[in-house]
């Protein structure tokens, strides 16, 4: 339990900046308005947008809030705070079937642009799954960066799992082909695949990912396919743009939000989940293996909105 608690308190401190902006703004609204009117909603809207929830998401949340206020005949602005938090928690909640891949023979395709912590995320996932006694194999299909292959090899040693890799510049789909054969013959539970993240040419990326997907579907049809996109929490709205571009080329089943440590715009998690309709399944706040954890909507939204004593 200590590990989880430590993670949460570090998440809280990582989101301090966003929380201070959001929480102090919300406080002044909930205490500064004597009635719930258009001005109240407008101010609220502004604070959420400033917290990086984005315009569309904010509009949806405000609409939900207005409906609840009407339904429950709420008159006091202060009562809206908990309603707002509840609405966001409900929206962010992750279904218990979200981690189905852990219980099946599966292939996890990890996508995202370079520099977001993709390879590190795979390394941490591998180590965590291995500690649950899963047989894990990694595939180094980001063959454009020699560093990616080296980095993943280092993680495979650290985590004590097998890696399938070829030299830099080889065909990523060929690496995935080999990895599927290895996963089958070695009876692996989970095959984790790193992929290239060059976004400058969407057509190439699209072809690359669909080719990889075809190989998996053809060579390993019995495997459950999970596709996770890794996004850097410090990039705010830019992360949302990346996610939208990848969503056009790939069926994404979950989001991993990394680097939520101080400079991160925490509200972006809510925006991405809301606009893409894809759950945030993991969040990362640092370098250690345990710094990647399954997303917990309650603790995350509390970390964003609650004012801990030390913020007073």
């Amino acid at each position: 339990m200590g590990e989880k608690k430590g993670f949460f308190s570090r998440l809280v401190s990582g989101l301090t900046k966003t929380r201070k902006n959001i929480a102090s703004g919300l406080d002044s609204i909930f205490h500064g308005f004597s009635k719930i009117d258009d001005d109240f909603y407008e101010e609220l809207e502004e604070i959420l947008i400033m917290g990086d929830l984005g315009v569309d998401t904010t509009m949806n949340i405000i609409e939900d809030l207005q409906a609840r206020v009407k339904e429950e005949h709420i008159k006091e602005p202060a009562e809206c705070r908990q309603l707002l938090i509840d609405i966001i928690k409900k929206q962010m909640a992750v279904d218990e079937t979200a981690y189905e891949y852990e219980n099946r023979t599966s292939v996890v395709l990890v996508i995202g642009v370079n520099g977001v912590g993709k390879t590190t995320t795979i390394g941490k996932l591998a180590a965590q799954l291995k500690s649950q006694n899963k047989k894990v194999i990694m595939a180094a299909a980001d063959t454009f960066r020699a560093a990616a292959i080296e980095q993943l090899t280092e993680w495979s040693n650290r985590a004590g799992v097998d890696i399938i890799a070829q030299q830099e510049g080889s065909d990523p789909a060929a690496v995935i082909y080999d990895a599927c054969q290895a996963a089958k013959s070695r009876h692996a539970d989970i095959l984790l695949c790193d992929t290239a993240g060059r976004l400058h040419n969407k057509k190439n990326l699209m072809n690359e990912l669909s080719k990889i997907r075809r190989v998996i579907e053809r060579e390993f049809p019995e495997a459950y396919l999970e596709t996770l996109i890794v996004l850097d929490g410090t990039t705010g709205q830019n992360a949302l743009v990346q996610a939208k571009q990848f969503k056009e080329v790939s069926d994404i089943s979950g989001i991993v939000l990394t680097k939520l440590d101080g400079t991160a715009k925490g509200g972006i998690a809510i925006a991405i989940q809301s606009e893409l309709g894809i759950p945030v399944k993991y969040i990362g706040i640092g370098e250690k293996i345990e710094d990647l954890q399954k997303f917990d909507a309650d603790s995350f939204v509390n970390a964003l909105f609650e004012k801990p004593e030390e913020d007073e």
Side-chain angles (χ1 to χ4, degrees):
M1 192 59 207
E3 188 182 286
K4 186 87 187 180
K5 186 77 196 93
F7 180 85
F8 178 65
S9 53
R10 285 176 50 221
L11 173 66
V12 168
S13 64
L15 294 173
T16 300
K17 205 165 113 191
T18 312
R19 183 178 55 258
K20 280 194 167 145
N21 291 344
I22 294 181
S24 57
L26 290 180
D27 272 2
S28 65
I29 291 179
F30 293 134
H31 296 128
F33 277 84
S34 54
K35 63 179 196 299
I36 300 171
D37 56 11
D38 289 351
D39 288 346
F40 167 78
Y41 285 122
E42 251 172 54
E43 292 266 326
L44 195 51
E45 217 166 84
E46 194 172 311
I47 281 179
L48 296 179
I49 291 170
M50 296 300 282
D52 231 355
L53 272 75
V55 180
D56 297 349
T57 307
T58 297
M59 295 311 207
N60 292 335
I61 289 171
I62 299 282
E63 272 173 32
D64 285 355
L65 181 64
Q66 286 171 324
R68 291 278 299 270
V69 164
K70 212 169 171 175
E71 244 166 66
E72 298 171 31
H73 307 292
I74 289 166
K75 299 279 179 274
E76 291 299 315
E79 289 178 43
C80 290
R81 183 191 194 111
Q82 197 51 49
L83 268 186
L84 181 71
I85 291 173
D86 292 346
I87 286 168
I88 295 173
K89 281 183 181 174
K90 191 173 172 204
Q91 183 184 301
M92 297 297 290
V94 183
D95 193 340
E96 59 267 23
T97 59
Y99 305 98
E100 184 59 33
Y101 80 88
E102 290 184 345
N103 310 315
R104 317 251 297 256
T105 299
S106 56
V107 177
V108 181
L109 205 52
V110 184
I111 62 177
V113 301
N114 291 337
V116 294
K118 203 169 41 203
T119 308
T120 312
T121 295
I122 292 170
K124 290 176 185 171
L125 264 183
Q128 290 181 11
L129 291 163
K130 172 85 191 292
S131 71
Q132 296 168 28
N133 296 321
K134 304 281 184 201
K135 185 165 173 54
V136 181
I137 294 182
M138 294 175 171
D142 180 358
T143 57
F144 297 105
R145 284 194 318 133
I149 301 172
E150 282 164 30
Q151 202 185 355
L152 205 62
T153 305
E154 200 178 299
W155 269 108
S156 79
N157 294 333
R158 202 184 299 179
V161 305
D162 292 351
I163 183 168
I164 305 298
Q166 294 178 9
Q167 63 277 29
E168 183 190 354
S170 52
D171 178 12
V175 176
I176 297 292
Y177 176 88
D178 285 355
C180 286
Q181 306 312 324
K184 285 191 293 190
S185 65
R186 298 175 201 176
H187 304 291
D189 297 306
I190 294 166
L191 171 60
L192 293 172
C193 308
D194 196 5
T195 61
R198 303 167 313 156
L199 250 189
H200 63 253
N201 184 338
K202 211 156 76 180
K203 193 168 181 302
N204 281 359
L205 185 72
M206 202 181 301
N207 293 344
E208 197 68 69
L209 287 173
S210 55
K211 198 168 152 194
I212 285 175
R213 193 175 278 268
R214 280 200 307 276
V215 169
I216 295 167
E217 284 165 359
R218 189 182 67 229
E219 299 302 322
F220 206 177
E222 64 274 31
Y224 179 89
L225 183 59
E226 175 81 20
T227 304
L228 298 174
I229 183 167
V230 182
L231 299 166
D232 175 343
T234 59
T235 60
Q237 292 293 320
N238 198 23
L240 181 58
V241 173
Q242 287 170 19
K244 282 181 170 166
Q245 288 180 308
F246 273 98
K247 194 182 177 198
E248 285 173 30
V249 304
S250 197
D251 289 327
I252 302 170
S253 46
I255 294 157
V256 180
L257 204 56
T258 61
K259 309 186 189 181
L260 289 178
D261 53 2
T263 42
K265 309 264 181 93
I268 198 62
I270 301 167
I272 292 168
Q273 188 280 330
S274 162
E275 294 209 19
L276 298 179
I278 298 168
V280 175
K281 292 191 181 180
Y282 293 93
I283 50 175
I285 55 169
E287 292 308 306
K288 296 195 205 67
I289 285 173
E290 65 274 14
D291 288 343
L292 180 76
Q293 299 245 348
K294 286 178 178 170
F295 182 76
D296 176 340
D298 282 353
S299 54
F300 185 82
V301 178
N302 288 343
L304 264 188
F305 287 90
E306 295 298 321
K307 267 189 26 175
E309 282 58 58
E310 72 269 14
D311 279 7
E312 297 292 332

